[in-house]
Amino acid sequence: MSDNQFAIDITVPQSQLNDWVMLIKGLCEGQLGAYLEERLEAFNPKALELMDNVLDDWLAYSHPQFFDFEQQGNRLRCQAEGPTGFHRDLAVFKKVLELCGATVNFQDNTLLDE
């Protein structure tokens, strides 16, 4: 795993599992713009507000890649890779995921295990 590659490993409420699977699979298919905005707003409009500047940067400059979706029950995982400094964007993304009701699982090399 490179310095700019992270694992996103979350546990989501069973009642929202299908919505979360669609969100993470969409990310892995490169759907970042309106798709991600709609999904985040459906979970929690405050999450979209927090993510707004990061999402603008992702679309305009950094173009992060999400890939290798995995699911075990209500635990979802994928890889994320972006340019230098991508970890700062992921710090915001972690807060957004938590605002939306996900629990970020901490392991080595996972999403900002600080």
Side-chain angles (χ1 to χ4, degrees):
M1 194 174 299
S2 75
D3 290 342
N4 295 316
Q5 184 176 340
F6 301 87
I8 296 174
D9 187 337
I10 59 175
T11 301
V12 300
Q14 190 67 38
S15 62
Q16 297 176 327
L17 180 60
N18 290 338
D19 293 328
W20 278 102
V21 167
M22 286 176 55
L23 186 149
I24 301 298
K25 281 185 174 180
L27 288 176
C28 290
E29 293 169 358
Q31 299 181 37
L32 291 175
Y35 174 86
L36 182 56
E37 288 176 342
E38 289 172 10
R39 298 277 174 219
L40 293 178
E41 190 167 40
F43 283 119
N44 185 340
K46 289 184 180 185
L48 178 57
E49 289 175 29
L50 183 62
M51 188 69 186
D52 195 41
N53 288 337
V54 169
L55 191 54
D56 288 345
D57 178 66
W58 283 5
L59 293 171
Y61 305 107
S62 61
H63 307 287
Q65 302 294 311
F66 295 84
F67 52 95
D68 290 343
F69 173 78
E70 297 175 22
Q71 178 181 358
Q72 289 183 313
N74 64 333
R75 188 170 183 170
L76 309 177
R77 184 178 172 97
C78 72
Q79 303 295 317
E81 187 169 24
T84 301
F86 183 52
H87 66 280
R88 288 187 297 274
D89 291 345
L90 287 178
V92 174
F93 194 47
K94 174 187 169 193
K95 290 177 187 171
V96 165
L97 293 172
E98 291 171 340
L99 273 176
C100 291
T103 301
V104 177
N105 302 312
F106 297 101
Q107 298 177 356
D108 292 339
N109 298 333
T110 59
L111 180 62
L112 298 178
D113 54 352
E114 303 175 335

